Amino acid sequence: MAGAMGGATMIPQGVLGERACASPAHGTGSTDTPVTQTPPLRKYVDPLPRPMTAIPDPSVYPGADYYEITMRQGSWRFHRDLGPATVWGYWAKNPHHAHRAIGMGYLGPTISVLKDHPTVVKYCNELPTTHLFQFVIDAIRSGDPQLTPIAPPPYKSKPPFPPHINVWNVVHQHGGFTAPQSDGMPLQSFSPDGFHAESYSTLDPSRVKPNEAISGYTNHERSSMLWYHDHGMGMTSVNVYAGLAGLYLVRDPADERLGLPEGEFEVPLILQDRTFGRDGSLAYTMTQREGEDTPVVNGKAYPFLAVEPRRYRLRVLNASNERFWRLKFDVPRDVLPQPTLPFWLIGTDGGLREPLPMLNFLISPAERYDLIVDFSQLPMGTNVTLTNYNAPVHFPGGGGPEISEIMQFQVTKRLSGGADKTTPPKKLNLPQVAPIELKPHTRRREWVLYQHQLFGTMTFDAVPFMEPSQDFIKAGSTEIWEYINPNHDAHPMHVHLVNFQVLNRQPIDAAGYQAAYERWIDGGRTSEDLPVLANYLTGPPIPADPDEARSYKDTVKSYPETVTRIVIEEFTPPTGTIASIPGSGTEYPATYVHHCHILEHEDDDLMRPWTIVDHDDHGGGGHGGAAHGGGHGH
């Protein structure tokens, strides 16, 4: 956990240095096949790419911006010394030039919207019907015990995708306040040849072909950086790894008065780790090891960014499949009194927060950090290196490839436009996030990260994802969710629809709790035998880290041998109609999902549905995401 001005890491005793005991199904290192290694690459020779911004068409749906986003296979060069790689990416239709789609080939264009002005997106699936990493799909289909979800007793295992499907996709707007039918949940997947998963849904069905779906977004979020990415059932990990991710910026005109860096001085950084063959091809090695061996930022390995001696706003997304990053900005020792350039945190997943001075931070997959970095005190010609340290994959005790350097900021551009007129971070008047008020009767809901054996399937509460929703939440209520993690890996937990605040963490007797939980399962899951969490707590609650506290989040780090508590203020999905499209608002019961955002864990079943019901309703609904409850009836 990163704290103010470089704060300490607080991990339960006995965890650091241990080999991770909850490695994902993808990544056991148990194969005899040699693991692909990226050839040596010269660092900081490729300029940092900046994803282009998609152009909306306001004429299709009055009162909303409309986009057409197509998933396609293409080519992308990750480094000047590597040949072109076959990749997947999102391309946006250009309403002004029909034959000039907006995209790079890898990743996707940025969608930039105004707060509360709705967006409608048609997603078109034009990918091949054979996967770029078909060997993973084949292994899952063949029942490989380290790749295929195995249901704990008494449940029966179900295949994550049909026998004839090698590619299917659905787009999730991560962090969005979205009706379930537009949320992009796994069982809403659709294939390039038009096959639909059981809970496929689309708005305005008369406007779509079988390989398309329309989603509507309220944009009723705080000013923040969301992102969109693939969520295909059973194959999210390889679909995102192939390139299916992009940024979604929610802008608030009121922010213009804050004096934040903007334009070329606001820089998105999409962090990933990838491995490449000697020919430059994209290699997926997480069936053999944990994590990949090369840093990639905005699609380039070891890029550089030429900067002016002034303040920059860096908007960081960890879009890696598995890797946590602990980041700092290193400077030559003769430049500053200390070897690390300080910076300010001004926002997290859910938007702006009170500025916090820092020297480093730990970011897990799917989290976003909004930073102000000031290069003005550095001499011209100074190189500032973004480095990663003390963050093995899997975190905190894994054995994956180490990555110590990521990219470089080179102070080589002269100051343009006169003096830097942006507001110094310590003087920024940013929104202060008030703690969510708890009441004595606030409901607590436990989620146990269960794994029966090393390298085995992980589930919540020893229940497979494909089982119907068992958690029903009254609309408008407040709840505390407790993620009980008795294993040795940290897990980034993402909850769809809502923002939340991190309440605290508390160490547990992990071995004792795990043994009691196994007895509960073996004894038939009777309520009287369910372990009582309070009996296994081994220390006082630990407050949220300074970079999490007084912030809105949609993803939280669930540390090993710890219970992590979050508080969700209000479960109220959007019910209004979007752009006059019938059926675009939420109807109850409304089912969403939450899951680990280590994508290989998500695919291996660490994901469960939960359902919002109206005040007078006490059940119903499945977890497909359709407004009427989806495909799994209760």
Side-chain angles (χ1 to χ4, degrees):
M1 311 177 195
M5 293 305 289
T9 298
M10 295 175 288
I11 299 292
Q13 291 183 355
V15 175
L16 284 178
E18 290 189 37
R19 181 69 167 81
C21 289
S23 299
H26 300 356
T28 66
S30 60
T31 177
D32 294 331
T33 305
V35 181
T36 300
Q37 306 285 339
T38 300
L41 300 176
R42 187 173 177 186
K43 298 174 182 176
Y44 320 131
V45 294
D46 286 303
L48 176 77
R50 297 205 191 192
M52 300 174 68
T53 300
I55 300 173
D57 185 344
S59 67
V60 179
Y61 289 97
D65 286 336
Y66 174 73
Y67 299 87
E68 288 188 14
I69 305 287
T70 300
M71 299 168 249
R72 291 197 186 106
Q73 182 165 287
S75 179
W76 176 253
R77 180 166 284 178
F78 287 90
H79 190 276
R80 73 167 194 192
D81 297 334
L82 294 172
T86 300
V87 294
W88 291 358
Y90 296 111
W91 292 85
K93 181 179 179 180
N94 188 332
H96 306 311
H97 301 280
H99 301 292
R100 296 183 185 175
I102 299 169
M104 300 193 309
Y106 182 74
L107 299 176
T110 298
I111 299 175
S112 182
V113 304
L114 289 178
K115 174 178 167 59
D116 295 325
H117 183 72
T119 297
V120 179
V121 185
K122 178 192 283 188
Y123 295 108
C124 312
N125 193 343
E126 295 183 2
L127 292 168
T129 55
T130 299
H131 207 284
L132 188 59
F133 305 109
Q134 184 64 35
F135 72 96
V136 179
I137 304 301
D138 292 341
I140 295 172
R141 182 171 289 126
S142 70
D144 184 324
Q146 294 181 4
L147 295 173
T148 308
I150 307 299
Y155 298 101
K156 302 297 183 183
S157 299
K158 300 176 183 178
F161 37 78
H164 65 287
I165 292 296
N166 297 314
V167 176
W168 64 2
N169 310 84
V170 67
V171 180
H172 170 54
Q173 185 204 42
H174 183 117
F177 181 65
T178 307
Q181 63 270 35
S182 293
D183 189 61
M185 288 176 275
L187 288 174
Q188 296 172 331
S189 298
F190 55 101
S191 73
D193 50 5
F195 182 85
H196 296 167
E198 62 182 72
S199 298
Y200 165 85
S201 65
T202 182
L203 304 184
D204 212 351
S206 65
R207 288 180 181 254
V208 300
K209 300 175 183 177
N211 66 326
E212 299 174 343
I214 292 177
S215 296
Y217 303 130
T218 64
N219 300 324
H220 188 57
E221 296 89 23
R222 303 169 191 86
S223 172
S224 55
M225 187 173 81
L226 314 182
W227 61 304
Y228 63 99
H229 62 80
D230 189 85
H231 218 317
M233 181 64 205
M235 57 182 77
T236 296
S237 58
V238 284
N239 288 349
V240 172
Y241 192 86
L244 294 179
L247 299 177
Y248 194 106
L249 294 175
V250 180
R251 303 285 193 184
D252 186 342
D255 290 350
E256 295 177 5
R257 62 176 172 78
L258 298 175
L260 297 172
E262 58 185 12
E264 67 174 298
F265 308 115
E266 180 184 18
V267 183
L269 301 177
I270 305 172
L271 271 59
Q272 299 173 308
D273 56 333
R274 296 291 185 263
T275 298
F276 306 102
R278 300 200 67 84
D279 60 353
S281 59
L282 188 58
Y284 180 88
T285 72
M286 282 182 280
T287 55
Q288 301 170 282
R289 66 180 178 191
E290 302 164 331
E292 304 290 356
D293 64 13
T294 302
V296 170
V297 188
N298 296 357
K300 285 293 181 183
Y302 300 109
F304 75 90
L305 178 67
V307 298
E308 298 180 12
R310 54 159 295 146
R311 287 182 285 272
Y312 279 72
R313 184 181 185 184
L314 305 182
R315 311 197 69 169
V316 183
L317 160 67
N318 183 354
S320 303
N321 281 35
E322 298 185 349
R323 185 179 292 271
F324 287 57
W325 305 85
R326 190 187 302 279
L327 302 176
K328 58 188 176 72
F329 297 87
D330 284 352
V331 294
R333 292 186 178 274
D334 59 347
V335 170
L336 294 176
Q338 72 280 343
T340 302
L341 181 66
F343 58 91
W344 292 76
L345 175 70
I346 64 166
T348 56
D349 307 343
L352 297 170
R353 53 153 290 159
E354 190 173 8
L356 177 70
M358 304 183 75
L359 288 174
N360 67 82
F361 64 99
L362 179 69
I363 183 170
S364 70
E367 288 187 299
R368 285 90 69 206
Y369 276 65
D370 196 348
L371 313 177
I372 299 292
V373 180
D374 190 351
F375 299 104
S376 65
Q377 303 305 310
L378 303 178
M380 290 295 286
T382 301
N383 293 330
V384 179
T385 305
L386 181 63
T387 61
N388 175 53
Y389 74 104
N390 195 24
V393 54
H394 295 114
F395 187 82
E402 292 187 9
I403 296 175
S404 59
E405 297 182 33
I406 300 168
M407 68 170 293
Q408 201 167 75
F409 300 87
Q410 301 174 355
V411 187
T412 56
K413 299 175 70 175
R414 297 198 176 278
L415 192 65
S416 61
D420 184 352
K421 298 181 177 62
T422 61
T423 304
K426 64 175 62 177
K427 296 183 178 180
L428 279 170
N429 184 22
L430 300 183
Q432 293 191 0
V433 178
I436 295 173
E437 182 178 350
L438 300 179
K439 299 178 180 178
H441 63 274
T442 300
R443 174 163 182 170
R444 292 174 180 257
R445 191 178 300 270
E446 293 181 357
W447 301 98
V448 179
L449 283 65
Y450 173 72
Q451 184 182 37
H452 176 63
Q453 62 185 6
L454 183 65
F455 305 133
T457 294
M458 284 180 281
T459 59
F460 284 119
D461 301 341
V463 180
F465 169 68
M466 297 290 276
E467 292 299 314
S469 176
Q470 299 173 359
D471 290 88
F472 300 95
I473 302 167
K474 289 188 177 181
S477 62
T478 299
E479 290 197 358
I480 295 170
W481 283 16
E482 299 180 304
Y483 286 104
I484 303 169
N485 181 1
N487 65 49
H488 295 176
D489 281 350
H491 300 269
M493 295 303 175
H494 170 50
V495 186
H496 286 214
L497 174 69
V498 297
N499 276 184
F500 52 76
Q501 292 179 15
V502 181
L503 190 59
N504 58 45
R505 295 181 177 88
Q506 200 162 0
I508 63 172
D509 172 9
Y513 188 92
Q514 177 78 14
Y517 205 77
E518 295 283 0
R519 290 194 296 271
W520 172 71
I521 294 172
D522 294 341
R525 301 174 183 244
T526 58
S527 58
E528 60 268 22
D529 293 331
L530 181 67
V532 177
L533 175 62
N535 295 338
Y536 297 90
L537 300 173
T538 59
I542 301 168
D545 253 12
D547 56 332
E548 301 172 316
R550 306 181 84 89
S551 296
Y552 286 110
K553 301 279 293 171
D554 58 50
T555 305
V556 63
K557 306 174 190 77
S558 171
Y559 287 108
E561 303 179 13
T562 301
V563 55
T564 298
R565 299 184 179 96
I566 63 173
V567 54
I568 301 165
E569 185 170 29
E570 189 175 21
F571 288 89
T572 306
T575 55
T577 299
I578 295 175
S580 301
I581 302 175
S584 55
T586 302
E587 296 180 23
Y588 296 111
T591 296
Y592 294 86
V593 301
H594 70 132
H595 57 86
C596 177
H597 222 285
I598 292 177
L599 300 183
E600 285 70 19
H601 291 185
E602 172 187 333
D603 283 344
D604 199 39
D605 236 24
L606 193 47
M607 176 166 57
R608 278 295 287 157
W610 49 273
T611 301
I612 304 174
V613 296
D614 209 350
H615 293 282
D616 300 323
D617 194 0
H618 298 285
H623 71 306
H628 299 286
H632 291 284
H634 181 74

